[in-house]
């Protein structure tokens, strides 16, 4: 084969020639090429073409957007005539149609805004071309998140994302969209966490005195069944012979389930243990008493429903919180909070206190009787429905304490048991985020430590157009906390139903198979029609990763850990050799 | 002098116009009573016994199973126009024709037409005898340097005309003749394989051995009548897939055997629609297939099966699919004439 200089380059496969007839002109963004007879060109293949313009060679890296076949007939009547309408007739001449493809330019090197010239050779991209096309060669801090698909079954090397864009230096957060039950969201988030833990530990081992170490603390919020309470078990879907190769291509020689996972689940009412999760490991209970709530400054989050949020109600809640709280300034300037000595000691006492109208004089007289009644109703509902997580009669609970000082194995916190009380689920999320914000902004802040919050069903926690405090908190985390080391690994079935601020602040967006109705929403306008169609047809193991370029089509390995009880073999991952999995 | 030749002889551009061809002499029925000289209508069947002939091939017969089927198809193209004129020292206005000429061979392989040979040239044809030889040489060399070839047009008998149209027609004939030379080159590349040429064999005999090469001409445009009145009736009465009896034509340098085949027609079409004439070297035919009417039937059936079925193609009724593909393929190698004309104008500063 000859390049633009006419030199022979025998190892490079030419799969077509650029064509730019009327109606199919090349632009700086797209070009078309015809395909030789008997050559297979597939949608999503990486291709490269070179043109000699203005005394220099310009390389265009592109991805095949669609492949077309056009017969030479002018209309369907001529197609009919070729057979004389007889399906059994075999014409003397074959169709001799033309296969051609449309390719979207991903990168031009040197960076010029010009189209390739017609009749330029088009080469099938290899690993190097894929690296260039997706600018992996420019990434200083890469993380492999899959194998780049080069057509239906071929692979073109590692698909990289830039950790500087994921972990807060230049950008932050990752968002996954996909339909339920396709292994699209949670398994991908866990895969990213797995890779991040692997990199963090590898770096710690290789550069023990690195002044800017990478330390990650993954906090995984379980929102469906108790599925994620089995990620320390082998998956019975994982077959080494079948699935190991993909992991090995990603540099993981011996993939294993997560080790040393810490599990938290809501405390049962009237008991001191967590609800039943069928987890084979120890599950720690979490709950809050009234004093815990006051100490952590979480009182307002108890009443964070959208419909609660009018000024009168909010004022009453804040006034009551102030009444219940004793703030003390320590010598180092920090403020500690505790429950006032004269205040009710439990939620039950607080409910009785509010019900007694004589006590209302303890607060500002401005609050209307109806507002008081509303507060009483809300609190009553909350402690009835949330009994267990909110300790109705206990003065002490088991509040979640997720603050860490170094890389740790995943912490799984269950929200599923609170499904019947969405407001309580949101409260727990807000509590965790608030705690992490305090950790990352307070005096105990650990430089370089990054909290990864994996949260599915974002539409429930930060719905679009909602202005409640929890949505606002998540928006604040998405918009401002990346630089403080809190990274949201969010997921949802319908990004169109999630706060725009949360979605737009995700530097890396991942699309698994998604519904066509969802893909027709305006939030997906940035995707070409072809990519939208592609997103609707992705298989379980395929993802489209969008960083700052065209979507990168990657193959993600099947996880060796169980993603639900059915996949769990029931045995813990072997911990016979090391405490830490071999990453 | 070089490209200044045009300027120096008062060259100017010529706008395109509809050429008025001379009216052809109209024939009469009396003419049809006269069997043309050199045409033997009794070659296969006595001329008084002529009738449409059904082909002897069975309905299931397929050309692809016939060893002697044509596998190579030759076409040529001459696309050009009179772009300029110069004034000769003797006062004549001399037209200059710029054209692209080329020829192509399409080889049939597994039911697909593949290009196995092609040649394309850009030529400038004009009468040169009216100008100093050295200046013409210099002009030709300069054209050559810029990718054009000068085709000198020599008037018959060495007498140049003052009639611009006659001179223009001669330039056109010259480029067409040169195209036929390229077609001969294409035929010669067929290496003795059964070959079909688009048009008469007469002008391509330089490309094949008239005694031993299985080369057949398929003529779409009938400029001359070879038949008698009964023959015309038989011709018009042909059904699709039928042929006339074989006759021979001995005029010119190449005696041929010939017959008509109807590829399409009926259902309201004019009687002459969809008829092609097939010819083969008489010498070759008599040497290899004398009185072998079965061969004629098979070749006719092949031509019929190879007919173009694309109604959108203007001449589909009288065209063969491989020839249409050859035309398309050769056409794709040609540059738009406007580009060539403008390049010529820029080079010659017209």
């Amino acid at each position: 084969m000859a390049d633009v200089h006419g030199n022979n380059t025998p190892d490079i496969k030419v799969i077509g020639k650029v064509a730019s007839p009327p109606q199919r002109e090349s632009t700086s963004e797209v070009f078309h090429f015809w395909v030789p007879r008997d050559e297979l060109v597939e949608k999503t293949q990486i291709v490269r073409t070179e043109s000699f313009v203005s005394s220099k060679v310009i390389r265009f890296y592109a991805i095949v957007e669609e492949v077309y076949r056009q017969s030479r007939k002018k209309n369907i009547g001529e197609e009919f005539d070729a057979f004389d309408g007889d399906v059994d007739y075999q014409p003397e001449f074959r169709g001799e149609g033309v296969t051609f493809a449309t390719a979207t330019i991903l990168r031009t090197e040197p960076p010029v805004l010009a189209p390739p010239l017609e009749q330029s050779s088009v080469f099938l991209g290899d690993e190097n071309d894929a690296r260039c096309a997706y600018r992996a060669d420019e990434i200083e801090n890469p993380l492999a998140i899959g194998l780049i698909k080069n057509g239906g079954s071929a692979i073109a090397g590692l698909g990289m994302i830039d950790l500087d864009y994921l972990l807060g230096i230049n950008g932050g957060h990752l968002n996954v969209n996909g339909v339920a039950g396709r292994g699209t969201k949670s398994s991908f988030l866990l895969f990213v966490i797995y890779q991040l833990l692997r990199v963090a530990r590898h770096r710690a081992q290789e550069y023990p005195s690195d002044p800017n170490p990478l330390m990650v603390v993954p906090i995984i919020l379980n929102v469906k069944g108790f599925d994620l309470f089995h990620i320390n078990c082998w998956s019975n879907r994982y077959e080494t012979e079948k699935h190991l190769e993909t992991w090995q291509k990603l540099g993981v020689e011996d993939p294993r389930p997560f080790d040393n996972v810490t599990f938290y689940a809501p405390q049962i009412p009237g008991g001191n243990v967590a609800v039943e999760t069928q987890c084979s490991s120890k599950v720690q209970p979490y709950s809050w008493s009234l004093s815990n709530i006051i100490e952590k400054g979480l009182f307002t989050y108890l009443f964070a429903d959208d419909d609660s949020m009018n000024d009168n109600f909010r004022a009453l809640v804040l006034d009551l919180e102030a009444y219940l709280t004793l703030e003390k300034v320590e010598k180092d300037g920090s403020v500690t909070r505790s429950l006032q000595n004269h205040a009710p000691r439990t939620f039950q006492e607080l409910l009785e206190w509010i019900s007694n109208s004589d006590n209302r004089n303890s607060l500002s007289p401005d609050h209307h009787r109806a507002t008081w009644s509303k507060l009483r109703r809300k609190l009553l509902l909350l402690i009835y429905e949330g009994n267990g997580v909110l300790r109705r009669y206990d003065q002490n609970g088991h509040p979640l304490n997720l603050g860490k000082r170094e890389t740790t194995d995943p912490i799984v916190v269950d929200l599923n048991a609170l499904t019947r009380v969405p407001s309580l689920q949101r409260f727990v999320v807000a509590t965790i985020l608030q705690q992490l914000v305090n950790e990352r902004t307070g005096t105990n802040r650990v430089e370089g430590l990054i909290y990864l919050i994996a949260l599915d069903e974002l539409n429930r926690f930060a719905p679009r157009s909602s202005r409640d405090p929890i949505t606002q908190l998540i928006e604040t985390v998405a918009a401002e906390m990346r630089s403080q080391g809190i990274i949201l690994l969010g997921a949802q079935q319908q990004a169109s139903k999630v706060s725009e601020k949360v979605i737009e602040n995700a530097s890396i967006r991942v699309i698994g198979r998604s519904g066509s109705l969802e893909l027709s929403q305006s939030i997906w306008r940035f995707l070409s029609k072809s990519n939208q169609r592609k997103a609707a047809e992705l298989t379980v193991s395929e993802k489209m990763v969008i960083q700052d370029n065209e979507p990168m089509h990657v193959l993600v390995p099947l996880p060796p850990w169980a993603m639900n009880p059915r996949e769990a073999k029931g045995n813990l991952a072997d911990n016979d050799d090391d405490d830490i999995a071999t990453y | 002098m070089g490209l200044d030749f045009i300027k120096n002889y008062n060259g100017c551009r010529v706008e395109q116009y509809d050429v008025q061809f001379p009216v052809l002499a109209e024939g009469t029925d009396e003419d049809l009573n006269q069997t043309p000289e050199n045409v033997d209508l009794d070659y296969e069947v006595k001329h008084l016994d002529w009738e449409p002939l059904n082909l002897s091939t069975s309905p299931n017969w397929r050309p692809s199973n016939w060893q002697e089927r044509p596998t190579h198809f030759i076409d040529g193209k001459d696309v050009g126009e009179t772009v300029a004129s110069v004034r000769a020292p003797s006062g004549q206005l001399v037209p200059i024709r710029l054209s692209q000429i080329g020829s192509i061979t399409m080889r049939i392989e597994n039911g697909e037409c593949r290009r196995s040979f092609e040649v394309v040239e850009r030529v400038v044809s004009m009468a040169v005898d009216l100008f100093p030889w050295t200046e013409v040489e210099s002009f030709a060399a300069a054209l050559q340097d810029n990718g054009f070839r000068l085709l000198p047009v020599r008037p018959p008998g060495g007498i140049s005309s003052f009639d611009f149209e006659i001179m223009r027609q001669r330039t056109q004939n010259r480029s067409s003749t040169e195209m036929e030379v390229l077609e001969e080159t294409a035929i010669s590349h067929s290496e003795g394989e059964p070959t079909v040429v688009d048009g008469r064999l007469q002008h391509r005999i330089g490309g094949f051995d008239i005694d031993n090469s299985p080369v057949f001409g398929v003529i779409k445009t009938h400029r001359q009548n070879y038949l008698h009145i009964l023959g015309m009736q038989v011709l018009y009465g042909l059904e699709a897939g039928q042929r006339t009896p074989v006759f021979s034509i001995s005029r010119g340098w190449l005696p041929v055997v010939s017959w008509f085949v109807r590829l399409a027609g009926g259902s309201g079409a004019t009687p002459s629609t969809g008829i092609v004439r097939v010819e083969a070297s008489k010498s070759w035919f008599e040497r290899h297939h004398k009185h072998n009417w079965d061969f004629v039937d098979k070749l006719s059936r092949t031509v019929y099966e190879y007919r173009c079925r694309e109604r959108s193609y203007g001449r589909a009724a009288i065209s063969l699919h491989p020839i249409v593909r050859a035309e398309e393929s050769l056409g794709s190698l040609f540059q738009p004439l406007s580009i060539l004309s403008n390049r010529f104008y820029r080079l010659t500063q017209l």
Side-chain angles (χ1 to χ4, degrees), chain A residues 327-431:
Chain A
E327 281 191 348
K328 195 173 164 188
V329 181
E330 302 292 341
K331 287 178 184 170
D332 62 357
S334 62
V335 177
T336 56
R337 298 158 59 101
S338 61
L339 193 60
Q340 288 276 15
N341 290 333
H342 59 79
R345 311 310 298 170
T346 64
F347 279 108
Q348 178 62 30
E349 288 178 19
L350 178 61
L351 186 63
E352 289 164 4
W353 187 88
I354 291 171
S355 301
N356 184 348
S357 55
D358 294 341
N359 291 327
R360 295 177 183 175
N361 297 328
S362 305
L363 271 62
S364 164
D366 294 344
H367 305 300
H368 193 274
R369 189 166 53 85
T371 314
W372 275 103
S373 298
K374 180 176 176 180
L375 175 64
R376 194 186 67 80
R377 288 195 304 273
K378 288 275 178 193
L379 186 62
L380 181 66
L381 273 175
L382 203 60
I383 61 178
Y384 264 111
E385 292 179 336
N387 191 13
V389 171
L390 298 179
R391 306 309 293 175
R392 185 171 181 178
Y393 302 104
D394 298 341
Q395 291 193 17
N396 292 304
H398 294 97
L400 285 167
N401 183 8
L402 304 178
K404 302 290 174 190
R405 306 199 67 77
E406 60 182 4
T407 296
T408 60
D409 286 302
I411 300 165
V412 177
V413 179
D414 178 61
L415 298 177
N416 168 66
L418 307 174
T419 304
R420 287 192 308 117
V421 199
S423 58
L424 213 50
Q425 279 188 327
R426 288 147 63 84
F427 166 76
V428 175
V429 172
T431 303

Side-chain angles (χ1 to χ4, degrees), chain B residues 195-328:
Chain B
T195 300
V196 167
V197 180
D198 184 32
R200 296 171 62 193
L201 297 179
Q202 182 73 52
H203 303 292
R204 284 96 176 174
I205 54 174
F208 63 100
D209 180 345
I210 60 172
D211 295 326
N212 293 306
S213 299
V215 178
F216 314 101
V218 174
I219 299 102
K220 294 183 288 209
T221 308
H222 314 298
R223 299 192 187 280
Q224 188 174 357
N225 174 45
Y226 298 104
L227 304 182
H228 55 319
I229 287 180
L230 177 59
M232 294 298 286
Q233 290 171 337
V234 168
L235 181 69
Y236 293 151
L238 290 177
E239 299 279 337
Q242 287 184 323
R243 70 171 176 88
T244 63
V246 177
F247 55 97
S248 74
I249 307 168
S250 301
R251 193 160 48 187
W253 305 296
L254 177 66
V256 295
V257 290
S258 186
W259 64 97
F260 290 93
V261 180
R262 186 183 283 281
L263 303 183
S267 55
T270 59
S272 55
T273 300
I275 296 174
V276 296
R277 186 167 67 82
V278 183
E279 65 181 27
S281 158
K282 186 178 177 185
S283 161
W284 172 84
F285 183 73
E286 292 188 345
R287 182 177 287 216
H288 298 277
H289 292 287
K290 188 163 188 182
H291 302 309
N292 183 357
W293 314 122
D294 186 53
F295 175 85
V296 174
D297 283 346
K298 285 177 176 168
L299 184 59
S300 301
R301 176 70 181 269
T302 301
V303 168
Y304 176 71
E305 293 292 342
Y306 281 12
R307 70 192 185 277
C308 174
R309 295 161 194 249
E310 275 92 52
R311 290 182 199 171
S312 57
Y313 181 67
R315 305 179 76 192
I318 48 172
S319 298
L320 303 188
H321 174 79
I323 295 291
V324 174
R325 290 284 295 116
E327 269 181 34
E328 288 173 350

